[in-house]
Amino acid sequence: MKPFTVSGGGGGSMECSKLITESINRLFANREPWQVATITATAVLSSVWLWSFINQDESIYTRGKRQFFRYLKKVPAVRRKIETELSKANQDFEGEIAKLTGTLEYCLQLPENGLSKEEILKLMDEHLKLGHYNWRDGHVSGAVYGYKEDLAELVTQVYGKASYTNPLHPDIFPGVCKMEAEVVKMALALFQGNEKCCGTMTTGGTESIVMACKAYRDYAREHKGITQPNMVVPKTIHAAFDKAGQYFNIHINYVDVDPQTYEVDMKAFKKAINKNTIMLAGSAPNFPYGTMDDIEAIAQLGLKYDIPVHVDACLGSFVVALARTAGYSVKPFNFSVKGVTSMSADTHKYGFAPKGSSLVLYSDVKYLNHQYTVTTDWPGGVYGSPTVNGSRAGGIIAACWATMMNFGFNGYLEATKRILDTSRYIEMALRKIDGIFIFGKPATSVIAMGSTVFDIFRLSDVLCKKGWNLNTLQFPSGIHICITDMHTAPGVADRFIADVREAVGEIMKDPQQPVSGKMALYGMAQAIPDRSVVGEVTRCYLNSMYSIPSKK
């Protein structure tokens, strides 16, 4: 007769329970009480550790891979090799900085006597002449989105008048606070926000994104009790989300994009959501390829699971806001889409304001309230600030306000038409060039190129030598040009198309030739499995920006 059965009535279960009890009793027979307690505590703690180790947002494979490389780098021979390469990279970076700064002397301490206005302006002109690229003639991808002498004069005067103002003190500078509120409201009108929508200005797109992530982390902690937050975003989302994750300890669940459209894979996106997800995000458009994610589908998931949805329109800015009015078809992406709870948009891009201004906008003040930082028990008084900064540059707010007032709706609409007309003109011409392809369908002004015939970084290298500064992409390799108002000047687009056509023609004579020089580093960096090494090289580059070349 069998001692117990798995199926059947309650008698089988009782036999099973009895067998387990007897097995445990035999295990602890003839053991001291302290041994029983020790074994029990060890088993419980080990079970808890194993459970927490397995049930993490980051996969066991990813964590194991990182740990493997961490130990590998501790091997003396490996560490010496890495340090040698890092030292070489550091010398190369610092050497490049020395070349860029030319013959200008570095000031290592305060001048004994202050310089005159004329001397300072002369030095300013000398500093601003440095650099190899002519951005005023439209040879640069993005970076400077518009420049007109009369507007530059206007914002210079406006900034000068407000340069010492600080909206941290609204009772002292109420006019600056009014201007900020107007900038927010005017932008909300462009993005089809209603009377409940609100927001703040920030110093740039990164701060706008970081603030939204902070708001949703705090909102989820207070209203849902989530203490191990994660966000679900496309792999093409801006790196500012990763920065926010590092700052605020938010795990990021990255979702792959469709290899044909380069828009986020919505099936995978849905699977990535779990009980600790505090926010969903999509791009309108994304930085690498200029394609737009399916914001409506993401918003539907946000409604279904009661999760806030952020739309990153930093790059699209006022161009994506006005694209439909300009006669171009774009997918719904703004506050008109039910479920979208916040947006980021850069006024210093296609708003043409001076650098240092952006917007983070919300559908409801309940989210904005969690963006704020409030300290109530400080001896200096009750302290509250809307963004990362305490004191803020009133001059930038005023300059942004003045730019928007100067352009007006029709001014921005005309600029949007010029930029999108030029973008489509360049895109269509590039699609006709054999040897290269366009990634996905550009939504607005970013056009990304790749090649299955030759190393695309060779094209980047040739164009660089012709005076063009483009952005390099990885995973997969590519380059892109971000069309700005500078590219709409007569002849610029045709010159770019002609240079690409000529460069590709030369490369196609020997398509298998490997890329060399600085551009070869981009391909090599992608092939390094330990991404922390690439991170160390990047830190060397950042350090070089602050290096002072030694005197010969």
Side-chain angles (χ1 to χ4, degrees), residues 226-486:
I226 296 176
T227 56
Q228 293 182 309
N230 70 66
M231 66 177 88
V232 178
V233 301
K235 273 194 173 179
T236 50
I237 205 80
H238 196 275
F241 285 87
D242 185 75
K243 180 180 283 190
Q246 294 182 44
Y247 282 175
F248 302 130
N249 197 28
I250 305 171
H251 178 74
I252 304 181
N253 288 329
Y254 285 109
V255 180
D256 286 326
V257 296
D258 183 282
Q260 299 301 318
T261 65
Y262 286 87
E263 299 170 14
V264 69
D265 182 338
M266 287 309 303
K267 288 184 179 179
F269 197 95
K270 181 178 179 180
K271 289 180 180 178
I273 299 171
N274 60 37
K275 61 184 177 64
N276 287 323
T277 302
I278 63 166
M279 66 180 290
L280 312 176
S283 303
N286 63 55
F287 175 84
Y289 311 112
T291 56
M292 186 184 294
D293 295 312
D294 191 342
I295 301 302
E296 284 187 304
I298 295 174
Q300 282 296 315
L301 291 175
L303 290 171
K304 180 178 180 179
Y305 298 110
D306 188 27
I307 301 173
V309 173
H310 181 84
V311 176
D312 176 25
C314 285
L315 179 56
S317 187
F318 290 0
V319 163
V320 72
L322 292 169
R324 280 191 175 185
T325 310
Y328 284 86
S329 175
V330 293
K331 293 182 291 187
F333 69 94
N334 54 28
F335 288 114
S336 66
V337 178
K338 189 176 181 181
V340 170
T341 56
S342 63
M343 297 186 68
S344 48
D346 286 356
T347 42
H348 67 200
K349 286 190 173 73
Y350 293 114
F352 308 119
K355 288 298 179 185
S357 68
S358 177
L359 291 158
V360 55
L361 309 170
Y362 297 93
S363 63
D364 196 292
V365 73
K366 68 181 182 180
Y367 301 120
L368 176 59
N369 282 340
H370 286 85
Q371 174 183 303
Y372 299 155
T373 299
V374 177
T375 302
T376 59
D377 299 325
W378 179 42
V382 176
Y383 180 88
S385 61
T387 61
V388 170
N389 297 305
S391 293
R392 291 187 294 152
I396 286 294
I397 293 172
C400 178
W401 175 86
T403 303
M404 293 174 68
M405 297 294 279
N406 181 254
F407 263 83
F409 182 87
N410 288 332
Y412 281 120
L413 182 59
E414 290 170 7
T416 296
K417 288 179 180 178
R418 289 195 302 269
I419 291 165
L420 292 181
D421 287 348
T422 303
S423 299
R424 296 294 77 79
Y425 177 72
I426 291 175
E427 178 196 345
M428 292 301 103
L430 294 179
R431 288 187 184 276
K432 296 176 183 177
I433 299 176
D434 291 334
I436 62 174
F437 66 87
I438 303 300
F439 286 94
K441 181 182 178 182
T444 54
S445 56
V446 172
I447 306 162
M449 296 174 279
S451 177
T452 58
V453 183
F454 58 86
D455 191 325
I456 193 66
F457 293 143
R458 287 181 63 193
L459 177 58
S460 181
D461 187 44
V462 175
L463 291 175
C464 182
K465 291 173 181 175
K466 289 178 178 290
W468 297 97
N469 181 279
L470 305 187
N471 297 92
T472 54
L473 315 173
Q474 60 177 353
F475 308 128
S477 297
I479 57 176
H480 87 213
I481 181 169
C482 177
I483 306 302
T484 68
D485 208 30
M486 321 293 281

Side-chain angles (χ1 to χ4, degrees), residues 188-209:
L188 282 169
L190 292 178
F191 289 108
Q192 297 186 34
N194 58 32
E195 66 281 354
K196 291 181 63 179
C197 291
C198 52
T200 70
M201 288 186 66
T202 67
T203 57
T206 292
E207 189 184 4
S208 293
I209 291 166

Side-chain angles (χ1 to χ4, degrees), residues 100-139:
L100 290 172
T101 54
T103 58
L104 289 186
E105 293 186 7
Y106 279 79
C107 186
L108 305 182
Q109 58 185 14
L110 287 171
E112 185 172 346
N113 297 306
L115 303 183
S116 67
K117 173 184 175 181
E118 290 73 20
E119 289 173 315
I120 292 172
L121 292 176
K122 182 175 181 293
L123 282 173
M124 273 293 297
D125 289 338
E126 291 176 354
H127 281 76
L128 294 176
K129 286 178 183 177
L130 297 177
H132 304 312
Y133 299 102
N134 191 340
W135 58 267
R136 282 186 172 87
D137 287 345
H139 278 76

Side-chain angles (χ1 to χ4, degrees), residues 469-517:
N469 181 279
L470 305 187
N471 297 92
T472 54
L473 315 173
Q474 60 177 353
F475 308 128
S477 297
I479 57 176
H480 87 213
I481 181 169
C482 177
I483 306 302
T484 68
D485 208 30
M486 321 293 281
H487 298 106
T488 67
V492 177
D494 287 324
R495 186 164 64 248
F496 176 72
I497 294 166
D499 284 347
V500 173
R501 187 179 291 117
E502 181 183 346
V504 171
E506 286 298 314
I507 292 170
M508 290 294 284
K509 293 177 182 178
D510 185 11
Q512 300 306 312
Q513 181 180 329
V515 66
S516 60

